Amino acid sequence: MPAAMSERIWTAALVVIGDEILSGRTQDKNVAQIATWLNVQGIRLAEVRVVGDREEAIVEAVNTLRARNDYLFTTGGIGPTHDDITVDAIAAALGVAVVHHPRAVAVLEHYYASRGGLTEARKRMARVPDGAELIENRMSGAPGIRIGNLFIMAGVPHITAGMLEALTGTLEGGRPLVSLTLGCWVAESEVADLLRQAERDFEGVAIGSYPFFRTGRVGANFVVRATDPALAEACAAALAERLAAAGYESVDGGI
């Protein structure tokens, strides 16, 4: 049997949750970034469904899509307000109770210690389906949630991005992930277009940009990720050349 026919294709689905998406008040940006991230993990985003803040709609979508995919991601509805019902709906879909995760409570207590304290509303963000693990969130304290092959994440795109970063390399997929890092003493905003163009030119590569401020200087590390080692190396080499042409010397391995 040809290799192309025998190679396992791993799939994921995404449920985007929120009345604000359906009404048009908010434009979703998570589909594109999750699809790109999954591609680098060797996993194909096979389908996406957008549902409102209704428990029966969330339950139906979760149970339908998780049954025919290797992974299921959800975004939205895990905040502190009364209409954030994603955790309750997913617990109902899985047939488990909702509990406060002790480590999530501790994380939130620490995060809000200098921000007015952990109120009952904020403590809602520590609620998880029973048996769940946490996904680290360095951006806003409240963690994401993982239960089996189901990943419950924030709807705010930059927070979702941080949660995806925490999951990078942890999912079983088609091929192993390769990462190469270049460091550069440059503000990432100065080379944003250059990075975007490099991603466009090397399909199947994702480039993460991680700015820092050290010894009075601004810099960034650029992480090139792909499932094809040769593709990652070619992209990293091209990126180094383009940075040099723009007047920025890069450091292999990062700074």
PDB file of all heavy atoms in Angstrom, residues 191-225:
ATOM      1  N   VAL A 191       9.597  44.309  12.221  1.00  0.00           N
ATOM      2  CA  VAL A 191       9.771  43.211  11.261  1.00  0.00           C
ATOM      3  C   VAL A 191       8.503  42.372  11.111  1.00  0.00           C
ATOM      4  O   VAL A 191       8.545  41.256  10.591  1.00  0.00           O
ATOM      5  CB  VAL A 191      10.963  42.306  11.667  1.00  0.00           C
ATOM      6  CG1 VAL A 191      12.273  43.068  11.556  1.00  0.00           C
ATOM      7  CG2 VAL A 191      10.778  41.752  13.083  1.00  0.00           C
ATOM      8  N   ALA A 192       7.362  42.906  11.567  1.00  0.00           N
ATOM      9  CA  ALA A 192       6.111  42.153  11.518  1.00  0.00           C
ATOM     10  C   ALA A 192       5.761  41.739  10.091  1.00  0.00           C
ATOM     11  O   ALA A 192       5.380  40.592   9.837  1.00  0.00           O
ATOM     12  CB  ALA A 192       4.976  42.970  12.129  1.00  0.00           C
ATOM     13  N   ASP A 193       5.906  42.663   9.141  1.00  0.00           N
ATOM     14  CA  ASP A 193       5.591  42.336   7.744  1.00  0.00           C
ATOM     15  C   ASP A 193       6.541  41.284   7.197  1.00  0.00           C
ATOM     16  O   ASP A 193       6.131  40.391   6.435  1.00  0.00           O
ATOM     17  CB  ASP A 193       5.664  43.597   6.869  1.00  0.00           C
ATOM     18  CG  ASP A 193       4.524  44.563   7.165  1.00  0.00           C
ATOM     19  OD1 ASP A 193       3.510  44.124   7.752  1.00  0.00           O
ATOM     20  OD2 ASP A 193       4.654  45.752   6.827  1.00  0.00           O
ATOM     21  N   LEU A 194       7.794  41.364   7.584  1.00  0.00           N
ATOM     22  CA  LEU A 194       8.795  40.396   7.140  1.00  0.00           C
ATOM     23  C   LEU A 194       8.436  38.996   7.642  1.00  0.00           C
ATOM     24  O   LEU A 194       8.536  38.004   6.900  1.00  0.00           O
ATOM     25  CB  LEU A 194      10.168  40.844   7.658  1.00  0.00           C
ATOM     26  CG  LEU A 194      11.421  40.097   7.191  1.00  0.00           C
ATOM     27  CD1 LEU A 194      12.625  41.035   7.237  1.00  0.00           C
ATOM     28  CD2 LEU A 194      11.687  38.899   8.095  1.00  0.00           C
ATOM     29  N   LEU A 195       7.988  38.894   8.899  1.00  0.00           N
ATOM     30  CA  LEU A 195       7.610  37.600   9.470  1.00  0.00           C
ATOM     31  C   LEU A 195       6.381  37.031   8.769  1.00  0.00           C
ATOM     32  O   LEU A 195       6.325  35.833   8.454  1.00  0.00           O
ATOM     33  CB  LEU A 195       7.335  37.747  10.970  1.00  0.00           C
ATOM     34  CG  LEU A 195       8.513  38.176  11.851  1.00  0.00           C
ATOM     35  CD1 LEU A 195       8.036  38.405  13.273  1.00  0.00           C
ATOM     36  CD2 LEU A 195       9.625  37.151  11.828  1.00  0.00           C
ATOM     37  N   ARG A 196       5.391  37.897   8.526  1.00  0.00           N
ATOM     38  CA  ARG A 196       4.179  37.444   7.838  1.00  0.00           C
ATOM     39  C   ARG A 196       4.492  36.917   6.441  1.00  0.00           C
ATOM     40  O   ARG A 196       3.951  35.902   6.004  1.00  0.00           O
ATOM     41  CB  ARG A 196       3.154  38.588   7.766  1.00  0.00           C
ATOM     42  CG  ARG A 196       2.323  38.771   9.030  1.00  0.00           C
ATOM     43  CD  ARG A 196       1.139  39.678   8.766  1.00  0.00           C
ATOM     44  NE  ARG A 196       1.557  41.044   8.521  1.00  0.00           N
ATOM     45  CZ  ARG A 196       1.705  41.970   9.455  1.00  0.00           C
ATOM     46  NH1 ARG A 196       1.459  41.658  10.715  1.00  0.00           N
ATOM     47  NH2 ARG A 196       2.087  43.189   9.157  1.00  0.00           N
ATOM     48  N   GLN A 197       5.378  37.609   5.743  1.00  0.00           N
ATOM     49  CA  GLN A 197       5.727  37.192   4.394  1.00  0.00           C
ATOM     50  C   GLN A 197       6.462  35.857   4.412  1.00  0.00           C
ATOM     51  O   GLN A 197       6.253  35.002   3.539  1.00  0.00           O
ATOM     52  CB  GLN A 197       6.589  38.254   3.703  1.00  0.00           C
ATOM     53  CG  GLN A 197       6.817  37.997   2.214  1.00  0.00           C
ATOM     54  CD  GLN A 197       5.518  37.890   1.435  1.00  0.00           C
ATOM     55  OE1 GLN A 197       4.667  38.771   1.528  1.00  0.00           O
ATOM     56  NE2 GLN A 197       5.358  36.813   0.668  1.00  0.00           N
ATOM     57  N   ALA A 198       7.306  35.656   5.409  1.00  0.00           N
ATOM     58  CA  ALA A 198       8.032  34.382   5.514  1.00  0.00           C
ATOM     59  C   ALA A 198       7.056  33.231   5.721  1.00  0.00           C
ATOM     60  O   ALA A 198       7.218  32.152   5.142  1.00  0.00           O
ATOM     61  CB  ALA A 198       9.042  34.450   6.653  1.00  0.00           C
ATOM     62  N   GLU A 199       6.020  33.443   6.542  1.00  0.00           N
ATOM     63  CA  GLU A 199       5.015  32.398   6.742  1.00  0.00           C
ATOM     64  C   GLU A 199       4.273  32.104   5.442  1.00  0.00           C
ATOM     65  O   GLU A 199       3.962  30.952   5.138  1.00  0.00           O
ATOM     66  CB  GLU A 199       4.014  32.819   7.823  1.00  0.00           C
ATOM     67  CG  GLU A 199       4.437  32.492   9.235  1.00  0.00           C
ATOM     68  CD  GLU A 199       3.282  32.565  10.206  1.00  0.00           C
ATOM     69  OE1 GLU A 199       2.287  33.251   9.907  1.00  0.00           O
ATOM     70  OE2 GLU A 199       3.372  31.941  11.277  1.00  0.00           O
ATOM     71  N   ARG A 200       3.966  33.162   4.680  1.00  0.00           N
ATOM     72  CA  ARG A 200       3.259  32.971   3.409  1.00  0.00           C
ATOM     73  C   ARG A 200       4.120  32.190   2.410  1.00  0.00           C
ATOM     74  O   ARG A 200       3.624  31.355   1.660  1.00  0.00           O
ATOM     75  CB  ARG A 200       2.877  34.321   2.803  1.00  0.00           C
ATOM     76  CG  ARG A 200       1.820  35.094   3.576  1.00  0.00           C
ATOM     77  CD  ARG A 200       1.292  36.258   2.765  1.00  0.00           C
ATOM     78  NE  ARG A 200       0.465  37.144   3.554  1.00  0.00           N
ATOM     79  CZ  ARG A 200       0.859  38.313   4.027  1.00  0.00           C
ATOM     80  NH1 ARG A 200       2.082  38.745   3.791  1.00  0.00           N
ATOM     81  NH2 ARG A 200       0.041  39.066   4.742  1.00  0.00           N
ATOM     82  N   ASP A 201       5.423  32.476   2.414  1.00  0.00           N
ATOM     83  CA  ASP A 201       6.318  31.863   1.428  1.00  0.00           C
ATOM     84  C   ASP A 201       6.624  30.402   1.744  1.00  0.00           C
ATOM     85  O   ASP A 201       7.030  29.655   0.854  1.00  0.00           O
ATOM     86  CB  ASP A 201       7.626  32.658   1.336  1.00  0.00           C
ATOM     87  CG  ASP A 201       7.424  34.041   0.724  1.00  0.00           C
ATOM     88  OD1 ASP A 201       6.368  34.261   0.099  1.00  0.00           O
ATOM     89  OD2 ASP A 201       8.313  34.901   0.884  1.00  0.00           O
ATOM     90  N   PHE A 202       6.478  30.029   3.014  1.00  0.00           N
ATOM     91  CA  PHE A 202       6.789  28.658   3.416  1.00  0.00           C
ATOM     92  C   PHE A 202       5.532  28.030   4.028  1.00  0.00           C
ATOM     93  O   PHE A 202       5.357  28.002   5.239  1.00  0.00           O
ATOM     94  CB  PHE A 202       7.960  28.635   4.408  1.00  0.00           C
ATOM     95  CG  PHE A 202       9.275  29.030   3.805  1.00  0.00           C
ATOM     96  CD1 PHE A 202       9.634  30.368   3.700  1.00  0.00           C
ATOM     97  CD2 PHE A 202      10.149  28.070   3.306  1.00  0.00           C
ATOM     98  CE1 PHE A 202      10.846  30.744   3.131  1.00  0.00           C
ATOM     99  CE2 PHE A 202      11.358  28.436   2.731  1.00  0.00           C
ATOM    100  CZ  PHE A 202      11.705  29.774   2.636  1.00  0.00           C
ATOM    101  N   GLU A 203       4.667  27.527   3.170  1.00  0.00           N
ATOM    102  CA  GLU A 203       3.412  26.939   3.624  1.00  0.00           C
ATOM    103  C   GLU A 203       3.685  25.727   4.502  1.00  0.00           C
ATOM    104  O   GLU A 203       4.516  24.873   4.169  1.00  0.00           O
ATOM    105  CB  GLU A 203       2.570  26.532   2.423  1.00  0.00           C
ATOM    106  CG  GLU A 203       1.183  26.044   2.794  1.00  0.00           C
ATOM    107  CD  GLU A 203       0.335  25.706   1.580  1.00  0.00           C
ATOM    108  OE1 GLU A 203       0.795  25.960   0.449  1.00  0.00           O
ATOM    109  OE2 GLU A 203      -0.778  25.191   1.774  1.00  0.00           O
ATOM    110  N   GLY A 204       2.997  25.661   5.643  1.00  0.00           N
ATOM    111  CA  GLY A 204       3.225  24.577   6.590  1.00  0.00           C
ATOM    112  C   GLY A 204       4.127  24.966   7.736  1.00  0.00           C
ATOM    113  O   GLY A 204       4.371  24.172   8.639  1.00  0.00           O
ATOM    114  N   VAL A 205       4.611  26.224   7.708  1.00  0.00           N
ATOM    115  CA  VAL A 205       5.465  26.744   8.779  1.00  0.00           C
ATOM    116  C   VAL A 205       4.678  27.782   9.574  1.00  0.00           C
ATOM    117  O   VAL A 205       3.918  28.573   9.006  1.00  0.00           O
ATOM    118  CB  VAL A 205       6.744  27.389   8.214  1.00  0.00           C
ATOM    119  CG1 VAL A 205       7.496  28.155   9.296  1.00  0.00           C
ATOM    120  CG2 VAL A 205       7.650  26.327   7.619  1.00  0.00           C
ATOM    121  N   ALA A 206       4.859  27.784  10.890  1.00  0.00           N
ATOM    122  CA  ALA A 206       4.327  28.841  11.746  1.00  0.00           C
ATOM    123  C   ALA A 206       5.504  29.511  12.443  1.00  0.00           C
ATOM    124  O   ALA A 206       6.428  28.835  12.907  1.00  0.00           O
ATOM    125  CB  ALA A 206       3.354  28.280  12.770  1.00  0.00           C
ATOM    126  N   ILE A 207       5.477  30.835  12.494  1.00  0.00           N
ATOM    127  CA  ILE A 207       6.554  31.594  13.139  1.00  0.00           C
ATOM    128  C   ILE A 207       5.981  32.329  14.342  1.00  0.00           C
ATOM    129  O   ILE A 207       5.101  33.176  14.200  1.00  0.00           O
ATOM    130  CB  ILE A 207       7.196  32.592  12.164  1.00  0.00           C
ATOM    131  CG1 ILE A 207       7.743  31.873  10.931  1.00  0.00           C
ATOM    132  CG2 ILE A 207       8.320  33.368  12.860  1.00  0.00           C
ATOM    133  CD1 ILE A 207       8.285  32.800   9.861  1.00  0.00           C
ATOM    134  N   GLY A 208       6.466  31.984  15.517  1.00  0.00           N
ATOM    135  CA  GLY A 208       6.068  32.675  16.738  1.00  0.00           C
ATOM    136  C   GLY A 208       7.065  33.773  17.074  1.00  0.00           C
ATOM    137  O   GLY A 208       8.270  33.587  16.924  1.00  0.00           O
ATOM    138  N   SER A 209       6.563  34.923  17.499  1.00  0.00           N
ATOM    139  CA  SER A 209       7.421  36.053  17.857  1.00  0.00           C
ATOM    140  C   SER A 209       7.270  36.338  19.347  1.00  0.00           C
ATOM    141  O   SER A 209       6.157  36.551  19.833  1.00  0.00           O
ATOM    142  CB  SER A 209       7.028  37.287  17.042  1.00  0.00           C
ATOM    143  OG  SER A 209       7.811  38.400  17.414  1.00  0.00           O
ATOM    144  N   TYR A 210       8.404  36.358  20.076  1.00  0.00           N
ATOM    145  CA  TYR A 210       8.372  36.497  21.523  1.00  0.00           C
ATOM    146  C   TYR A 210       9.293  37.642  21.958  1.00  0.00           C
ATOM    147  O   TYR A 210      10.510  37.464  22.084  1.00  0.00           O
ATOM    148  CB  TYR A 210       8.778  35.181  22.191  1.00  0.00           C
ATOM    149  CG  TYR A 210       7.913  34.044  21.704  1.00  0.00           C
ATOM    150  CD1 TYR A 210       8.339  33.222  20.660  1.00  0.00           C
ATOM    151  CD2 TYR A 210       6.649  33.842  22.223  1.00  0.00           C
ATOM    152  CE1 TYR A 210       7.516  32.210  20.171  1.00  0.00           C
ATOM    153  CE2 TYR A 210       5.824  32.836  21.747  1.00  0.00           C
ATOM    154  CZ  TYR A 210       6.268  32.024  20.724  1.00  0.00           C
ATOM    155  OH  TYR A 210       5.455  31.033  20.242  1.00  0.00           O
ATOM    156  N   PRO A 211       8.702  38.843  22.127  1.00  0.00           N
ATOM    157  CA  PRO A 211       9.515  40.022  22.450  1.00  0.00           C
ATOM    158  C   PRO A 211      10.046  39.996  23.881  1.00  0.00           C
ATOM    159  O   PRO A 211       9.480  39.337  24.761  1.00  0.00           O
ATOM    160  CB  PRO A 211       8.523  41.178  22.255  1.00  0.00           C
ATOM    161  CG  PRO A 211       7.191  40.563  22.532  1.00  0.00           C
ATOM    162  CD  PRO A 211       7.271  39.151  22.026  1.00  0.00           C
ATOM    163  N   PHE A 212      11.139  40.729  24.100  1.00  0.00           N
ATOM    164  CA  PHE A 212      11.693  40.864  25.446  1.00  0.00           C
ATOM    165  C   PHE A 212      12.394  42.212  25.573  1.00  0.00           C
ATOM    166  O   PHE A 212      12.668  42.887  24.579  1.00  0.00           O
ATOM    167  CB  PHE A 212      12.663  39.716  25.762  1.00  0.00           C
ATOM    168  CG  PHE A 212      13.815  39.584  24.795  1.00  0.00           C
ATOM    169  CD1 PHE A 212      14.937  40.407  24.901  1.00  0.00           C
ATOM    170  CD2 PHE A 212      13.787  38.632  23.789  1.00  0.00           C
ATOM    171  CE1 PHE A 212      16.005  40.285  24.019  1.00  0.00           C
ATOM    172  CE2 PHE A 212      14.842  38.505  22.888  1.00  0.00           C
ATOM    173  CZ  PHE A 212      15.956  39.339  23.010  1.00  0.00           C
ATOM    174  N   PHE A 213      12.652  42.601  26.805  1.00  0.00           N
ATOM    175  CA  PHE A 213      13.369  43.846  27.095  1.00  0.00           C
ATOM    176  C   PHE A 213      14.468  43.508  28.095  1.00  0.00           C
ATOM    177  O   PHE A 213      14.184  43.089  29.210  1.00  0.00           O
ATOM    178  CB  PHE A 213      12.424  44.901  27.687  1.00  0.00           C
ATOM    179  CG  PHE A 213      13.077  46.224  27.957  1.00  0.00           C
ATOM    180  CD1 PHE A 213      13.301  47.126  26.925  1.00  0.00           C
ATOM    181  CD2 PHE A 213      13.470  46.561  29.242  1.00  0.00           C
ATOM    182  CE1 PHE A 213      13.913  48.352  27.175  1.00  0.00           C
ATOM    183  CE2 PHE A 213      14.085  47.777  29.500  1.00  0.00           C
ATOM    184  CZ  PHE A 213      14.297  48.677  28.458  1.00  0.00           C
ATOM    185  N   ARG A 214      15.723  43.641  27.663  1.00  0.00           N
ATOM    186  CA  ARG A 214      16.861  43.286  28.523  1.00  0.00           C
ATOM    187  C   ARG A 214      17.941  44.343  28.420  1.00  0.00           C
ATOM    188  O   ARG A 214      18.238  44.833  27.326  1.00  0.00           O
ATOM    189  CB  ARG A 214      17.459  41.933  28.116  1.00  0.00           C
ATOM    190  CG  ARG A 214      16.499  40.756  28.219  1.00  0.00           C
ATOM    191  CD  ARG A 214      17.152  39.477  27.735  1.00  0.00           C
ATOM    192  NE  ARG A 214      16.158  38.428  27.526  1.00  0.00           N
ATOM    193  CZ  ARG A 214      16.381  37.334  26.821  1.00  0.00           C
ATOM    194  NH1 ARG A 214      17.553  37.134  26.259  1.00  0.00           N
ATOM    195  NH2 ARG A 214      15.427  36.426  26.663  1.00  0.00           N
ATOM    196  N   THR A 215      18.527  44.639  29.552  1.00  0.00           N
ATOM    197  CA  THR A 215      19.647  45.599  29.631  1.00  0.00           C
ATOM    198  C   THR A 215      19.377  46.856  28.812  1.00  0.00           C
ATOM    199  O   THR A 215      20.236  47.358  28.087  1.00  0.00           O
ATOM    200  CB  THR A 215      20.976  44.950  29.159  1.00  0.00           C
ATOM    201  OG1 THR A 215      20.860  44.546  27.774  1.00  0.00           O
ATOM    202  CG2 THR A 215      21.323  43.753  30.020  1.00  0.00           C
ATOM    203  N   GLY A 216      18.148  47.342  28.941  1.00  0.00           N
ATOM    204  CA  GLY A 216      17.795  48.582  28.261  1.00  0.00           C
ATOM    205  C   GLY A 216      17.559  48.454  26.772  1.00  0.00           C
ATOM    206  O   GLY A 216      17.457  49.464  26.070  1.00  0.00           O
ATOM    207  N   ARG A 217      17.483  47.218  26.266  1.00  0.00           N
ATOM    208  CA  ARG A 217      17.314  47.012  24.830  1.00  0.00           C
ATOM    209  C   ARG A 217      16.090  46.145  24.545  1.00  0.00           C
ATOM    210  O   ARG A 217      15.749  45.256  25.318  1.00  0.00           O
ATOM    211  CB  ARG A 217      18.554  46.338  24.227  1.00  0.00           C
ATOM    212  CG  ARG A 217      19.850  47.107  24.422  1.00  0.00           C
ATOM    213  CD  ARG A 217      21.029  46.288  23.899  1.00  0.00           C
ATOM    214  NE  ARG A 217      21.001  46.148  22.436  1.00  0.00           N
ATOM    215  CZ  ARG A 217      21.798  45.319  21.771  1.00  0.00           C
ATOM    216  NH1 ARG A 217      22.655  44.533  22.425  1.00  0.00           N
ATOM    217  NH2 ARG A 217      21.734  45.270  20.451  1.00  0.00           N
ATOM    218  N   VAL A 218      15.478  46.415  23.399  1.00  0.00           N
ATOM    219  CA  VAL A 218      14.323  45.643  22.958  1.00  0.00           C
ATOM    220  C   VAL A 218      14.772  44.585  21.959  1.00  0.00           C
ATOM    221  O   VAL A 218      15.590  44.859  21.072  1.00  0.00           O
ATOM    222  CB  VAL A 218      13.266  46.559  22.294  1.00  0.00           C
ATOM    223  CG1 VAL A 218      12.151  45.723  21.670  1.00  0.00           C
ATOM    224  CG2 VAL A 218      12.685  47.516  23.329  1.00  0.00           C
ATOM    225  N   GLY A 219      14.276  43.387  22.116  1.00  0.00           N
ATOM    226  CA  GLY A 219      14.600  42.317  21.183  1.00  0.00           C
ATOM    227  C   GLY A 219      13.454  41.338  21.074  1.00  0.00           C
ATOM    228  O   GLY A 219      12.399  41.514  21.695  1.00  0.00           O
ATOM    229  N   ALA A 220      13.657  40.301  20.284  1.00  0.00           N
ATOM    230  CA  ALA A 220      12.632  39.266  20.131  1.00  0.00           C
ATOM    231  C   ALA A 220      13.279  37.968  19.671  1.00  0.00           C
ATOM    232  O   ALA A 220      14.303  37.983  18.963  1.00  0.00           O
ATOM    233  CB  ALA A 220      11.572  39.703  19.121  1.00  0.00           C
ATOM    234  N   ASN A 221      12.704  36.879  20.093  1.00  0.00           N
ATOM    235  CA  ASN A 221      13.079  35.572  19.585  1.00  0.00           C
ATOM    236  C   ASN A 221      11.993  35.103  18.632  1.00  0.00           C
ATOM    237  O   ASN A 221      10.799  35.204  18.935  1.00  0.00           O
ATOM    238  CB  ASN A 221      13.245  34.565  20.723  1.00  0.00           C
ATOM    239  CG  ASN A 221      14.540  34.766  21.480  1.00  0.00           C
ATOM    240  OD1 ASN A 221      15.605  34.875  20.878  1.00  0.00           O
ATOM    241  ND2 ASN A 221      14.455  34.824  22.810  1.00  0.00           N
ATOM    242  N   PHE A 222      12.397  34.597  17.484  1.00  0.00           N
ATOM    243  CA  PHE A 222      11.466  34.112  16.477  1.00  0.00           C
ATOM    244  C   PHE A 222      11.601  32.597  16.387  1.00  0.00           C
ATOM    245  O   PHE A 222      12.694  32.092  16.100  1.00  0.00           O
ATOM    246  CB  PHE A 222      11.756  34.757  15.119  1.00  0.00           C
ATOM    247  CG  PHE A 222      11.828  36.258  15.184  1.00  0.00           C
ATOM    248  CD1 PHE A 222      12.984  36.927  14.827  1.00  0.00           C
ATOM    249  CD2 PHE A 222      10.742  36.998  15.633  1.00  0.00           C
ATOM    250  CE1 PHE A 222      13.069  38.307  14.897  1.00  0.00           C
ATOM    251  CE2 PHE A 222      10.804  38.382  15.708  1.00  0.00           C
ATOM    252  CZ  PHE A 222      11.963  39.041  15.337  1.00  0.00           C
ATOM    253  N   VAL A 223      10.510  31.887  16.658  1.00  0.00           N
ATOM    254  CA  VAL A 223      10.531  30.428  16.665  1.00  0.00           C
ATOM    255  C   VAL A 223       9.819  29.916  15.413  1.00  0.00           C
ATOM    256  O   VAL A 223       8.638  30.181  15.195  1.00  0.00           O
ATOM    257  CB  VAL A 223       9.855  29.866  17.929  1.00  0.00           C
ATOM    258  CG1 VAL A 223       9.913  28.334  17.922  1.00  0.00           C
ATOM    259  CG2 VAL A 223      10.535  30.416  19.176  1.00  0.00           C
ATOM    260  N   VAL A 224      10.568  29.193  14.599  1.00  0.00           N
ATOM    261  CA  VAL A 224      10.058  28.615  13.357  1.00  0.00           C
ATOM    262  C   VAL A 224       9.670  27.163  13.639  1.00  0.00           C
ATOM    263  O   VAL A 224      10.494  26.376  14.089  1.00  0.00           O
ATOM    264  CB  VAL A 224      11.127  28.669  12.245  1.00  0.00           C
ATOM    265  CG1 VAL A 224      10.618  28.007  10.975  1.00  0.00           C
ATOM    266  CG2 VAL A 224      11.543  30.114  11.983  1.00  0.00           C
ATOM    267  N   ARG A 225       8.402  26.814  13.372  1.00  0.00           N
ATOM    268  CA  ARG A 225       7.919  25.470  13.676  1.00  0.00           C
ATOM    269  C   ARG A 225       7.314  24.834  12.434  1.00  0.00           C
ATOM    270  O   ARG A 225       6.580  25.474  11.683  1.00  0.00           O
ATOM    271  CB  ARG A 225       6.869  25.499  14.785  1.00  0.00           C
ATOM    272  CG  ARG A 225       7.365  26.060  16.117  1.00  0.00           C
ATOM    273  CD  ARG A 225       6.300  25.896  17.187  1.00  0.00           C
ATOM    274  NE  ARG A 225       6.758  26.370  18.485  1.00  0.00           N
ATOM    275  CZ  ARG A 225       6.530  27.582  18.960  1.00  0.00           C
ATOM    276  NH1 ARG A 225       5.836  28.444  18.242  1.00  0.00           N
ATOM    277  NH2 ARG A 225       6.981  27.941  20.145  1.00  0.00           N
TER     278      ARG A 225
END
